[in-house]
Amino acid sequence: MSVRVGIGYDLHRLETGRKLIVGGIELLFDKGPVGHSDGDVLAHALCDALLGAAGLGDIGTHFPDTDPKWKGANSLVFLEHAKKLLDEKRFTIEHVDAVVILERPKLGPHFPKMREALGKALSVAGEKIHLKAKTNEGVDAVGRGEAIACHVAATLNSY
Ligand SMILES: [Zn+2]
């Protein structure tokens, strides 16, 4: 058995009137991510971390944002697809560690629901998905509330 680690990063601009979806959960807020799909930074960075660890390219390779099929897509679908690809290549998900960077709203209270949604999409126990939240201390676009960003490290086992 061997262990593989992948990293993922994503950022979306936030605009008034868009739904704020993070980790498959809709949060009540006056702004949301601009994107071809639902703009879920956590799902996107997680998808890239999983694909990277498995040597399978990135989210754009599998779900091009030029494809009308993915317009407004629920990003959990991307994770379900990534999980199928991992299964085919005989990888299992050992652990996921993520940090979402956002000024407002507070994400911590929503982590249990996010872990459940992400775990369900990936067919893994929620305990394998560790989530953290940071603000950007008022600095740069994220700090001004103009963007949301996310970093994820994923550990896979191959068997
Ligand atoms: Zn994205």
Side-chain angles (χ1 to χ4, degrees):
M1 198 173 74
S2 73
V3 177
R4 308 269 289 261
V5 174
I7 62 165
Y9 169 75
D10 195 29
L11 177 146
H12 283 260
R13 282 186 297 114
L14 293 172
E15 273 184 9
T16 306
R18 302 268 310 180
K19 278 187 188 174
L20 179 58
I21 312 271
V22 184
I25 301 298
E26 185 178 343
L27 307 175
L28 281 177
F29 195 55
D30 60 341
K31 286 181 185 178
V34 178
H36 187 67
S37 65
D38 62 9
D40 186 335
V41 276
L42 175 49
H44 295 178
L46 174 50
C47 195
D48 264 0
L50 295 170
L51 294 172
L56 292 169
D58 66 13
I59 194 166
T61 320
H62 300 276
F63 311 100
D65 64 7
T66 48
D67 189 338
K69 193 164 125 189
W70 308 118
K71 190 167 166 52
N74 178 338
S75 297
L76 294 179
V77 170
F78 303 158
L79 292 178
E80 287 167 8
H81 184 75
K83 164 69 175 159
K84 276 194 199 117
L85 297 173
L86 297 184
D87 287 346
E88 282 167 18
K89 292 204 99 186
R90 300 168 66 86
F91 285 110
T92 57
I93 298 166
E94 179 62 28
H95 189 72
V96 167
D97 190 22
V99 53
V100 183
I101 312 161
L102 177 69
E103 289 304 294
R104 286 186 307 126
K106 282 222 177 306
L107 297 180
H110 305 284
F111 281 167
K113 275 191 163 176
M114 290 180 193
R115 292 169 72 185
E116 193 186 321
L118 296 170
K120 197 172 160 214
L122 295 172
S123 308
V124 298
E127 297 85 73
K128 292 197 169 194
I129 299 169
H130 190 248
L131 303 177
K132 304 189 292 293
K134 300 280 285 181
T135 71
N136 216 36
E137 296 278 331
V139 176
D140 292 339
V142 172
R144 290 190 298 269
E146 295 166 5
I148 178 172
C150 184
H151 298 267
V152 176
T155 308
L156 307 181
N157 287 318
S158 77
Y159 60 96

